Amino acid sequence: MAIIDKIKAKAKSDVKHIVLPEGEEIRNVQAAVMIRDQGLAKLTLLGNPEKVKEVAAGADLTGIDIIDPADSDKAPLYAATLYDLRKAKGMTEEEAAKKVADPMYYGIMMVKLGDADGLVSGAIHSTGDMLRPALQVIKSKPGIKTVSSCFLMECPDKSYGDDGVMIFADCAVNIEPDAEQLANIALGAADSARQLAGIEPRVAMLSFSTKGSAKHDNVTKVQEATRIAKEMAPDLALDGELQLDAALVEKVGQLKAPGSKVAGHANTLVFPDLGAGNIGYKLVQRLAGAEAYGPILQGIAKPCNDLSRGCSAEDIVATVAITACQAQG
């Protein structure tokens, strides 16, 4: 069974409430119908109900809630809560009221106050448009200082990872993470491996060096990140710094990092910076024909996930299923 089918089955086992702020956008409406029909989540679309129905072009929206943030009974409560959260940063009551009329902020407040379990957006908004209010309002999980992202990868060559399934992080958020941030990314990736892929993480902290084979500040950063991550999660199977071949190929791992529990068997790859991570996942996706699901945000207190603006309705369905599984955790 493909990993996304396992995720959908998990989502169905404990149905969560997901809000789609881009409710007037056609792919979101198409996805909402598929999600309802597959029983993956309870859904709320945000937008003007007449515009949503117009976009639906006669499709049956029974069972899908539609809320207009500009005409919502909960808007005053959301505005008051947002003001309390942001007044120390200079936000006024008037600004808070204006913010929650925006579907993105309204959706974030739904998640913050428990009126929804998670949020998916990005078909017509940038990552920053979604991430900014999420970080301002929902913030990171206790003990995690860095919100990051991962991709859930499924490779047709089943010899790597766990039956071809791997986690790649961070591929979308942190451009030049320092050692502490990199350690937090590693712990987030390990949680994603357990929660989404259902695999016990074996985390490789990647570098162009293995166990001191090269000397450079970038190598030192990964070594320090490995030390911090091990202090934060001493029971986690994590090792570094490792070159990619040492992380994935058993023979090379035994040669370059003898005695390592991770080398040659890694299923969770932590890249040293965003350039390496973004290029790495796209290489595997395009050249190896892997399925790449993401970016999936990790380390945030309640699940909010981004979409590519080129996404299909099926991509939105998959992301909602992933978000629902995160909400179960």
Side-chain angles (χ1 to χ4, degrees):
M1 181 185 291
I3 189 63
I4 194 61
D5 293 326
K6 293 179 181 178
I7 287 172
K8 287 181 177 180
K10 186 180 179 186
K12 291 178 186 179
S13 71
D14 180 13
V15 174
K16 297 299 181 182
H17 182 181
I18 308 299
V19 58
L20 303 179
E22 300 166 325
E24 297 176 7
E25 196 276 333
I26 187 168
R27 290 165 294 172
N28 278 265
V29 176
Q30 292 169 340
V33 172
M34 289 188 276
I35 291 161
R36 179 205 59 199
D37 291 347
Q38 294 177 40
L40 299 176
K42 180 184 185 307
L43 282 181
T44 294
L45 294 172
L46 298 183
N48 181 289
E50 294 306 315
K51 290 184 179 179
V52 174
K53 291 172 184 175
E54 182 181 339
V55 168
D60 180 14
L61 299 181
T62 302
I64 300 169
D65 292 339
I66 303 171
I67 295 176
D68 187 350
D71 186 31
S72 165
D73 292 342
K74 291 211 169 182
L77 171 62
Y78 290 173
T81 304
L82 180 60
Y83 169 67
D84 284 341
L85 289 169
R86 301 294 296 169
K87 61 185 178 183
K89 299 292 185 179
M91 181 174 284
T92 66
E93 292 177 315
E94 292 77 13
E95 287 171 336
K98 185 176 179 180
K99 288 285 189 187
V100 300
D102 178 338
M104 186 65 67
Y105 269 89
Y106 188 96
I108 292 291
M109 294 308 301
M110 285 182 69
V111 177
K112 174 68 175 179
L113 294 181
D115 293 328
D117 298 307
L119 175 146
V120 171
S121 183
I124 55 175
H125 287 85
S126 70
T127 298
D129 288 338
M130 187 277 290
L131 194 55
R132 194 176 304 108
L135 292 177
Q136 289 174 352
V137 174
I138 296 175
K139 305 185 185 299
S140 61
K141 290 180 180 177
I144 297 293
K145 297 180 181 179
T146 302
V147 172
S148 59
S149 75
C150 72
F151 274 80
L152 176 59
M153 308 293 294
E154 185 168 28
C155 305
D157 184 344
K158 307 288 187 181
S159 57
Y160 299 109
D162 275 35
D163 199 30
V165 174
M166 305 187 74
I167 296 291
F168 286 16
D170 177 2
C171 305
V173 176
N174 296 282
I175 297 175
E176 287 283 354
D178 61 24
E180 185 177 9
Q181 290 171 325
L182 205 56
N184 277 268
I185 291 167
L187 299 193
D191 284 344
S192 294
R194 295 189 189 98
Q195 193 174 48
L196 298 177
I199 58 179
E200 188 56 33
R202 298 183 296 276
V203 183
M205 308 294 285
L206 297 181
S207 175
F208 59 83
S209 168
T210 297
K211 299 296 185 178
S213 65
K215 306 296 182 185
H216 191 275
D217 288 347
N218 289 345
V219 175
T220 303
K221 178 183 79 169
V222 178
Q223 292 169 338
E224 178 66 6
T226 301
R227 183 191 67 77
I228 295 169
K230 286 182 175 180
E231 286 184 357
M232 295 172 71
D235 295 330
L236 176 63
L238 178 146
D239 203 3
E241 85 283 14
L242 297 172
Q243 291 163 287
L244 182 66
D245 56 353
L248 294 182
V249 182
E250 185 173 11
K251 186 180 295 185
V252 179
Q254 290 175 348
L255 176 66
K256 291 187 174 183
S260 172
K261 295 180 181 179
V262 173
H265 304 284
N267 57 20
T268 303
L269 304 182
V270 178
F271 294 85
D273 56 53
L274 189 60
N278 192 268
I279 292 166
Y281 101 79
K282 288 184 177 179
L283 276 172
V284 175
Q285 181 186 35
R286 299 300 179 183
L287 298 187
E291 294 289 345
Y293 300 100
I296 302 162
L297 287 185
Q298 54 189 27
I300 197 162
K302 294 186 178 182
C304 298
N305 281 313
D306 189 30
L307 298 162
S308 164
R309 276 173 277 184
C311 67
S312 65
E314 289 77 11
D315 293 332
I316 299 173
V317 172
T319 304
V320 166
I322 287 168
T323 307
C325 289
Q326 288 179 308
Q328 292 174 355

